[in-house]
Amino acid sequence: MTVRGGAGEVAEEASRRQDPVELVQRCAHRGLTIATAESLTAGSLAARIADVPGASAVLLGGVVSYSVGVKEEVLEVPGSLLEERGAVDGEVAACMARGAARRCRTDIGIATTGVAGPASHDGKDVGTVYLGAAVTKDAVARLGITLPPDSAPHQIDADWVTGSILLDLAPDAEDVDDMRAHIRSASVEGALKVLYDLLLTEPAGMTGSQEG
């Protein structure tokens, strides 16, 4: 699988297995909680975090949202946005992350949506993946959390800092048989990397373009 796209280090790290132990420890140390919203990965991201002993203090819940209806009715993604852009979209991913965090009452939401194949979907190629992130403004103010530098900010709620990262996980010819598994696995690792980047932020506050 070829990992391309404008997500810089996140794209590079998507093909490497992350260790969620430090992620859980950092969240626990800083008093942060996480919720997941997964379409493409169908619960695999939450499962990776939950593998860590003591993860229940950090991972409060998650939503598997394969259908557009669940995205709209449970995660509060605007129906007009879904109709205009489809489910595989950066702003949709950001809305999914915020919706999961709101529903589970957490500080951080992380979301995955994309096309694992075997065919394109909503005009998006196989391997197109968006990772959404949402952080409460309170956590931003307390801990100086910022979005990863390669993310696209989305102003969808005055109480949240939200953004998304595009990964182009283009399958190679020899990956055809396993491409769905490869794309979903790389999406999980990419999402974990986004969470790491949030937690490793130096306490310098948000940039002007990310504040609402």
Side-chain angles (χ1 to χ4, degrees), residues 147-165:
L147 296 174
D150 292 322
S151 62
H154 300 284
Q155 182 60 50
I156 59 177
D157 190 315
D159 296 324
W160 295 82
V161 172
T162 50
S164 65
I165 284 180

Side-chain angles (χ1 to χ4, degrees), residues 17-27 34 45-53 55 58 189 192 195-196 199:
R17 191 167 177 83
Q18 304 291 316
D19 181 2
V21 173
E22 185 179 356
L23 172 66
V24 170
Q25 292 174 342
R26 283 180 177 273
C27 279
I34 297 171
L45 173 58
R48 286 275 282 121
I49 299 171
D51 280 343
V52 179
V58 171
E189 304 310 320
L192 290 173
L195 289 171
Y196 269 122
L199 297 176

Side-chain angles (χ1 to χ4, degrees), residues 4-200:
R4 299 195 299 259
E9 189 178 354
V10 173
E12 286 185 26
E13 296 294 328
S15 59
R16 304 176 187 174
R17 191 167 177 83
Q18 304 291 316
D19 181 2
V21 173
E22 185 179 356
L23 172 66
V24 170
Q25 292 174 342
R26 283 180 177 273
C27 279
H29 178 71
R30 300 175 83 176
L32 293 169
T33 51
I34 297 171
T36 60
E38 302 181 64
S39 180
L40 170 73
T41 51
S44 297
L45 173 58
R48 286 275 282 121
I49 299 171
D51 280 343
V52 179
S56 60
V58 171
L59 178 66
L60 301 194
V63 177
V64 175
S65 57
Y66 260 164
S67 77
V68 170
V70 173
K71 290 179 177 69
E72 182 176 359
E73 295 169 19
V74 178
L75 296 176
E76 302 175 332
V77 180
S80 57
L81 180 63
L82 289 164
E83 184 175 352
E84 177 186 352
R85 302 189 189 176
V88 182
D89 174 78
E91 189 168 350
V92 168
C95 287
M96 289 170 60
R98 182 205 58 170
R102 280 167 56 107
R103 286 289 186 180
C104 298
R105 299 182 180 180
T106 62
D107 303 293
I108 298 171
I110 187 77
T112 64
T113 183
V115 185
S120 60
H121 180 71
D122 283 345
K124 303 294 173 57
D125 293 334
V126 173
T128 302
V129 174
Y130 288 94
L131 307 175
V135 186
T136 64
K137 286 287 185 71
D138 177 68
V140 167
R142 283 190 296 114
L143 300 171
I145 295 173
T146 67
L147 296 174
D150 292 322
S151 62
H154 300 284
Q155 182 60 50
I156 59 177
D157 190 315
D159 296 324
W160 295 82
V161 172
T162 50
S164 65
I165 284 180
L166 168 64
L167 299 183
D168 181 2
L169 305 176
D172 296 326
E174 60 268 26
D175 292 335
V176 171
D177 289 343
D178 298 320
M179 69 177 178
R180 282 179 57 82
H182 288 180
I183 290 168
R184 291 173 68 185
S185 176
S187 299
V188 168
E189 304 310 320
L192 290 173
K193 182 62 172 64
V194 171
L195 289 171
Y196 269 122
D197 287 348
L198 288 171
L199 297 176
L200 291 172

